[in-house]
């Protein structure tokens, strides 16, 4: 599959208008920022930023954050288990829950 290319002209003060297709891929809209990283081989990577990189926005979804809150509440309430090793942990995870068969 061929790469999709876009062009934008740089204006006097280094400004440019990002084509709509680029804004969509980066997940940015007016007011968002961009992060540029230059690799050792000279390739420039561009990431859209909100409060975090746009490609990591899944962590900020309400569903994910609700799970984080639930996990924090479980830890605070002592609803945790400790295992001596990986085998013991997996045995616990794959065993039927108490009261279920």
């Amino acid at each position: 599959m061929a790469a999709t290319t876009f062009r934008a002209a740089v204006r006097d003060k280094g400004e440019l208008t990002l084509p709509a297709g680029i804004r969509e891929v980066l997940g940015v809209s007016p007011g968002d920022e961009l992060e540029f990283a230059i690799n050792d081989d000279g390739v420039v990577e561009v990431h859209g930023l909100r409060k975090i990189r746009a490609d990591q926005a899944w962590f900020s979804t309400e569903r994910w954050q609700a799970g984080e809150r639930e996990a924090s509440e479980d830890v605070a309430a002592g609803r945790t288990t400790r295992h001596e090793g990986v085998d013991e942990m997996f045995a616990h995870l794959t065993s039927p829950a108490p009261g279920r068969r």
Side-chain angles (χ1 to χ4, degrees):
M1 183 166 132
T4 303
T5 60
F6 296 89
R7 289 184 180 207
V10 178
R11 294 188 290 276
D12 291 342
K13 295 182 180 180
E15 300 170 328
L16 58 86
T17 299
L18 292 175
I22 297 295
R23 293 191 308 267
E24 182 179 324
V25 168
L26 292 174
V28 296
S29 54
D32 291 336
E33 295 183 11
L34 300 176
E35 173 185 77
F36 299 88
I38 303 172
N39 296 334
D40 291 338
D41 58 2
V43 173
V44 178
E45 292 183 12
V46 182
H47 302 277
L49 294 176
R50 295 176 195 146
K51 291 183 180 178
I52 58 169
R53 284 180 28 170
D55 64 352
Q56 297 176 3
W58 56 268
F59 184 74
S60 295
T61 63
E62 180 51 39
R63 180 177 177 195
W64 188 273
Q65 290 301 307
E68 291 289 334
R69 286 189 295 276
E70 182 180 351
S72 293
E73 290 168 4
D74 286 344
V75 170
R79 293 186 295 265
T80 61
T81 57
R82 182 176 295 268
H83 305 284
E84 293 298 322
V86 173
D87 292 337
E88 184 180 331
M89 177 192 71
F90 280 112
H92 173 81
L93 291 173
T94 57
S95 66
R100 260 192 340 198
R101 294 250 172 207

